[in-house]
Amino acid sequence: MRTTTPDTPHIRGRWRRAGSAAAATAALLVAGLGTAAHATAATAPHRVSATAVAAQVAKAHVRYEKAGCGATPKKGFAACDALRVTGGTTAFMEKQAALKGVAPKTVSPDAASDSPTGYGPSDLQSAYGLTSAAASDGSGETVAIVDAYDDPNAAADLATYRSHYGLPACTTADGCFKKVSQTGSTTALPSADSGWAGEESLDLDMVSAVCPKCDILLVEAKSASDANLGTAVNEAVKLGARFVSNSYGGGESSSDTSYDTSYYKHPGVAITASAGDEGYGAEYPAGSRYVTAVGGTALKSSSNSRGWTESVWRTSSTEGTGSGCSAYDAKPAWQTDTGCTKRMISDVSAVADPATGVSVYDSYGADGTGWNAYGGTSASSPIIASVYALAGTPGSGDYPAQYPYAAAGTPALNDVTSGSNGSCSTSYFCTARSGYDGPTGWGTPEGTDAFTG
């Protein structure tokens, strides 16, 4: 899960089938409503039941590939946890077709799309009970995104995404968006990289979708080494961010405990990290006891009161959310599962299945074909960081990874009880169950109550 050069070739995925979601309570609304075209579709006379929409989106199947930053890395380096849809029909596209009573469109490999092919802000806010919070909270909070290399089009692509969905502007000029290097420079930026640019667009768009009133700080490490990425985390905190998302990781090593104290031990800061995209198995920095490890789910529409159900994301024995018992990191006092004597991954989770992919706008380099759908736990990490931001600034001495544990078993979290991400000797390490499990932790957000002290 770690990369050495900025031009690593893509690794092609295979055709997959997976379910997806549409909120029953919003079955007649178009996901990501925010444009005139969407409004027209939403108010058309065609009417479709929630059950019919759910049946249609269940047909979603996609082809996807690892982003150019996701190739297997050498020791001491990290890879991003992003998967870009390159073909097939996403759940979002199936939903649009069902609502309009037409045949679904398909994603063409490497072809430009003039409209979104994945879920937008209203979907994510609906799925996680955040519609009210997203409209009223987040002002004055800064969510930092840490990635490697430069995305030259970051500001422009962010503007396109937010304009399309009717979100408030977030620009360098108005002070909402800032891009810096790992040293804090706004001018001496790292070299550009197409694969990491896609990752950065994904991260920026997920913050925008979940916390549209938040400021955004993008900190670009000069390479994907653990040391440079960790230095970028420190810089984000130095610049005032109290919410930091890390959508990257790699194999564990005996150096991880020293990385903990050097880079990720920041009391009073909510730091999130992707659990990984290669199925069952632990990775770092998700294994750090100082971060919130974020697993991945697949969403499916439902006739229940929530309008959504979720299961563990897995598409094959080597593709799905990560989880597991750390080999090196000590178990934090607030984590009480008994099968793992050290740090257990994950703590919470959010959508990551590429077939239920999220909408991203990216225009830079080979991956920059405009509107794309992305999956992977690279989507779930910034989603959870943004939920923390909606919940408000953490206590100055707190490690916010413990907050969801205090809310365990309450309506503040959607317990994910089905699915598995592989085979393991201790069942809950890789298989969902009622209560805590490795792939999804204590579940997914239902509002912000589980993410405040």
Side-chain angles (χ1 to χ4, degrees), residues 32 40 101 118 129 140 182 211 213 270 299 311 325 425:
T40 300
Q182 69 185 56
C211 191
K213 292 189 174 183
L299 285 167
S311 59
C325 182
S425 57

Side-chain angles (χ1 to χ4, degrees), residues 101 135 160 165 233 267 426 452:
T160 298
Y165 287 112
V233 172
T426 304
T452 185

